[in-house]
Amino acid sequence: MDPYGLRRVVSPPGALPQRAEVLDPRLPPGEDELLLDVEALNVDAASFHQIRTAAGGDPARIAGEIARIVRERGKLHNPVTGSGGMLIGRVREVGPRHPAAGRLSPGDRVASLVSLTLTPLLLERIDAVRPEVDRVECRGTAVLFASGLWARLPEDLPERLVLAALDVCGAPALVARHARPGMQVLVLGAGKSGSLVCAQAMESLGGRGRVVVADRAPEALEALRRLGICHAAVAVDATGAAAALPALMAAGGPYDLVVSCTSVPGTEMAAILPAADGGTVIFFSMATSFTAAALGAEGVGKDALLVIGNGYVPGHAELTLGLLRRHPALRAHFEERHAR
Amino acid sequence: MDPYGLRRVVSPPGALPQRAEVLDPRLPPGEDELLLDVEALNVDAASFHQIRTAAGGDPARIAGEIARIVRERGKLHNPVTGSGGMLIGRVREVGPRHPAAGRLSPGDRVASLVSLTLTPLLLERIDAVRPEVDRVECRGTAVLFASGLWARLPEDLPERLVLAALDVCGAPALVARHARPGMQVLVLGAGKSGSLVCAQAMESLGGRGRVVVADRAPEALEALRRLGICHAAVAVDATGAAAALPALMAAGGPYDLVVSCTSVPGTEMAAILPAADGGTVIFFSMATSFTAAALGAEGVGKDALLVIGNGYVPGHAELTLGLLRRHPALRAHFEERHAR
């Protein structure tokens, strides 16, 4: 038994798959592994942003870069951002000692709920790159270890919607644990995870408190305002914390809970400065710098609990799909913007 | 008024000092600034480890590298690790609008409690490098902004001890907030912050629960065991999480609270894997990778609160010096190993 997939680590020896430089996706499947035929990759926003920028926005060059990373590393682990994404596919083989044995059968459609940074992946071809939704349609095979989470694709929701939502399902689920009625909540980023976090925060506040969302894109803010999932929307560039601070504070600060859902580097202080003393800041952005957050908070004497957004919270997939089922307008917005 | 020191940022424009590439330490002091004559730098452990390794352990080359960073950046902000350290010095000038006006006078000896990554610093000369305690004795000037924390050096404790202890005082203070009687606590790293964290955890547990410390250096473990600030000590290499896990678990896992005080990269999973479901992992190591922690926990389906060790907790300096005052043996150990 090899619940963490150690036998697939090529280098460095003894590393866990997430930390490994190179994995071997070609080994025959182990008896506690799940083998999938991959159909699409949803690339992490920070990773896709970096690859798209480096490729000058050209889909063919984006595809080339993704193929190169997977060929060299045996996984889609962006060496610049350190982040991955997730995938959907059909079950090809369920090892007899995998926890899903008896619950999944060949042909079932599932999404992986663990990062592509630790998922052995072999790409045969890339069929299409969809930069507008950070997605790559492809053919290949991937392996999930016994400890790797997955979700069966529900029948009542379109697959692209499910894939896009599950990619960030840890964010609203963790916010549901931290948001309480009466809180002032600030969400940085009105994109994929930001919109789900706003909707969850509105529910968790139960009518008492305030949800403020900030983004540099006015149209994204306007969309969330129309959906009624925020009390205020502020157009600021979060990479310039000092310049952004007055507008963020005027909208309802200081904030008991700040949730960073940006996809660009350098937004740590825009999350930390507006937090209330004794407040909590949760970082979901994969572009977050550990030292910038730790030393930045200390540097300005801010007593806030700084949380690394753990992508796993029990029940996160169902919580997120439930949000979309309960909010048809949010679902339509999400499909239009993040799941085309 | 410029509480965050924006006017000293040379590049990039609009950045806060911690994120800046370059600061200007030569500007005349502002009326809300505190100007210090620097006497010593305590370099962050991860930063010093990196510089020492790059310099082949040679004190002259270490000094040269530190001088180069400060000359180029106007601050001791290690470009590889992203971390800094802190300093002590004498007050040269207190701006009339600085919060310390009336409380500090020229000649008073103080320690900075904000990172060197955001402290404008001009070095005139480096007198000595002490690799065994990550310290540099030097002459120069530094600036603290109105938001920058400082502590007056107490008269009952030696200055080197105080400097070494204040450098990591956020760690025991944050642990005091999270450790509760009855908990199983694991501390990774038996060094400077690790020993203080062990001592604080023992106090916070109040006789119920268990403190386990792990390090790759048996002599450091033996010292903490002799001090009575742990219930068990485990010799493991935390960079190999899979190999270390059985010994960590056998010593008292799963752990309600894991505190990472290592100074080397790649120890995130050794902190995450032994945590109990629903437990908390606090990362103080400046070598922590945000993505490795976030994606690593998700990758193994670990439901733990992942906390970035904020260097500021109200009362952290007094709490830490109080620990040393109450534990003469710990103080002697700390002076011997970290404050020579």
Side-chain angles (χ1 to χ4, degrees):
Chain A
M1 298 293 280
D2 184 20
Y4 303 128
L6 299 175
R7 72 189 184 99
R8 289 191 182 265
V9 173
V10 176
S11 69
L16 284 156
Q18 204 273 329
R19 211 187 138 217
E21 273 305 306
V22 180
L23 300 180
D24 183 352
R26 296 174 185 273
L27 288 179
E31 59 177 10
D32 61 347
E33 290 182 338
L34 186 60
L35 186 66
L36 304 176
D37 286 316
V38 181
E39 299 180 354
L41 308 173
N42 250 38
V43 185
D44 163 70
S47 173
F48 201 87
H49 177 82
Q50 187 275 326
I51 292 172
R52 182 174 49 199
T53 304
D58 174 37
R61 286 176 57 202
I62 295 172
E65 177 63 7
I66 288 172
R68 185 188 66 79
I69 294 173
V70 175
R71 198 167 54 238
E72 291 180 358
R73 305 197 69 172
K75 57 178 178 174
L76 182 52
H77 187 168
N78 184 318
V80 178
T81 64
S83 58
M86 36 86 80
L87 60 82
I88 58 167
R90 282 186 193 276
V91 173
R92 181 191 284 192
E93 201 176 320
V94 188
R97 303 184 67 177
H98 188 276
R103 293 159 61 209
L104 281 178
S105 309
D108 287 352
R109 296 174 70 77
V110 297
S112 70
L113 297 181
V114 292
S115 172
L116 291 176
T117 61
L118 55 85
T119 304
L121 179 62
L122 191 63
L123 282 182
E124 288 158 28
R125 63 169 201 262
I126 292 180
D127 295 321
V129 172
R130 304 198 180 277
E132 69 281 12
V133 287
D134 306 349
R135 196 171 59 238
V136 177
E137 291 167 11
C138 60
R139 285 292 169 273
T141 54
V143 175
L144 292 188
F145 310 126
S147 65
L149 304 160
W150 52 270
R152 193 187 294 271
L153 292 178
E155 296 188 353
D156 65 325
L157 295 170
E159 157 189 321
R160 287 179 182 175
L161 171 66
V162 172
L163 184 61
L166 293 185
D167 182 29
V168 293
C169 65
L174 193 54
V175 165
R177 283 193 176 174
H178 287 270
R180 295 282 172 274
M183 280 188 171
Q184 304 288 106
V185 180
L186 172 64
V187 181
L188 292 185
K192 197 157 69 164
S193 57
S195 59
L196 293 174
V197 164
C198 283
Q200 179 58 51
M202 288 294 277
E203 288 200 359
S204 296
L205 294 189
R208 293 195 296 118
R210 188 173 172 84
V211 176
V212 176
V213 60
D215 199 292
R216 58 184 169 191
E219 65 280 9
L221 294 172
E222 180 53 30
L224 299 204
R225 201 189 280 128
R226 275 200 310 270
L227 289 171
I229 57 175
C230 62
H231 296 96
V234 190
V236 295
D237 178 353
T239 65
L245 186 60
L248 294 176
M249 292 302 283
Y255 297 92
D256 307 294
L257 177 63
V258 180
V259 187
S260 174
C261 298
T262 67
S263 60
V264 294
T267 64
E268 296 84 1
M269 290 309 290
I272 288 169
L273 287 176
D277 276 330
T280 296
V281 183
I282 309 179
F283 296 94
F284 286 107
S285 169
M286 285 298 148
T288 302
S289 157
F290 180 89
T291 51
L295 300 177
E298 179 195 76
V300 298
K302 176 68 74 179
D303 175 25
L305 179 68
L306 308 178
V307 176
I308 297 172
N310 184 343
Y312 174 59
V313 177
H316 57 348
E318 275 313 302
L319 177 141
T320 300
L321 298 180
L323 265 180
L324 292 168
R325 289 187 179 107
R326 283 194 299 280
H327 296 279
L330 171 65
R331 171 182 159 177
H333 163 82
F334 204 85
E335 288 192 84
E336 162 65 19
R337 287 190 65 108
H338 308 297
R340 276 176 295 181
Chain B
M1 299 293 281
D2 184 19
Y4 302 128
L6 300 177
R7 73 190 184 98
R8 289 191 181 266
V9 173
V10 176
S11 68
L16 284 155
Q18 204 273 329
R19 211 187 137 218
E21 271 306 305
V22 181
L23 300 180
D24 183 353
R26 296 174 184 273
L27 287 179
E31 60 177 11
D32 62 347
E33 288 182 339
L34 186 60
L35 186 66
L36 304 177
D37 286 318
V38 180
E39 300 181 353
L41 309 174
N42 250 39
V43 184
D44 163 70
S47 172
F48 201 87
H49 177 83
Q50 187 274 324
I51 292 171
R52 183 175 48 198
T53 304
D58 175 35
R61 287 175 60 199
I62 295 172
E65 177 63 8
I66 287 172
R68 186 188 65 78
I69 294 173
V70 174
R71 197 166 55 239
E72 290 180 359
R73 306 198 67 171
K75 57 178 179 176
L76 182 52
H77 187 169
N78 184 317
V80 177
T81 63
S83 58
M86 37 88 79
L87 60 83
I88 59 165
R90 282 185 192 276
V91 173
R92 180 191 284 191
E93 201 177 320
V94 188
R97 304 184 68 178
H98 187 275
R103 292 159 60 208
L104 281 179
S105 308
D108 287 352
R109 297 174 71 77
V110 297
S112 70
L113 297 181
V114 292
S115 172
L116 291 175
T117 61
L118 53 84
T119 303
L121 178 63
L122 192 62
L123 282 182
E124 290 157 27
R125 63 170 200 263
I126 292 180
D127 295 320
V129 171
R130 303 200 179 276
E132 69 281 13
V133 288
D134 305 350
R135 193 171 63 238
V136 176
E137 290 167 13
C138 60
R139 286 292 168 272
T141 54
V143 175
L144 292 188
F145 310 125
S147 65
L149 303 160
W150 52 271
R152 192 187 295 273
L153 293 179
E155 297 188 352
D156 65 325
L157 295 171
E159 159 189 319
R160 288 179 182 174
L161 172 67
V162 173
L163 185 61
L166 293 185
D167 182 29
V168 294
C169 65
L174 194 55
V175 165
R177 283 193 176 172
H178 287 271
R180 295 280 172 275
M183 280 186 171
Q184 304 289 105
V185 179
L186 172 64
V187 181
L188 292 185
K192 197 157 69 164
S193 57
S195 60
L196 294 173
V197 164
C198 283
Q200 178 59 51
M202 288 295 277
E203 288 200 358
S204 296
L205 293 189
R208 292 197 295 118
R210 188 173 173 85
V211 176
V212 176
V213 61
D215 198 291
R216 59 185 168 191
E219 65 281 10
L221 293 172
E222 181 52 30
L224 299 202
R225 200 188 282 130
R226 275 199 309 268
L227 289 171
I229 55 176
C230 61
H231 296 96
V234 189
V236 295
D237 178 354
T239 65
L245 186 60
L248 295 176
M249 293 302 283
Y255 298 92
D256 306 294
L257 177 62
V258 180
V259 187
S260 173
C261 299
T262 67
S263 61
V264 294
T267 64
E268 296 84 0
M269 289 311 289
I272 289 169
L273 286 176
D277 276 331
T280 296
V281 183
I282 310 180
F283 296 93
F284 287 107
S285 169
M286 285 299 149
T288 304
S289 157
F290 180 89
T291 50
L295 300 177
E298 179 195 78
V300 297
K302 177 67 74 179
D303 174 25
L305 179 67
L306 308 178
V307 176
I308 297 172
N310 184 344
Y312 174 58
V313 176
H316 57 347
E318 275 313 303
L319 177 141
T320 301
L321 298 180
L323 265 180
L324 292 169
R325 289 187 180 108
R326 282 194 299 280
H327 296 280
L330 172 64
R331 172 182 157 176
H333 163 82
F334 204 84
E335 287 192 84
E336 162 67 18
R337 288 189 65 107
H338 307 299
R340 274 177 293 180

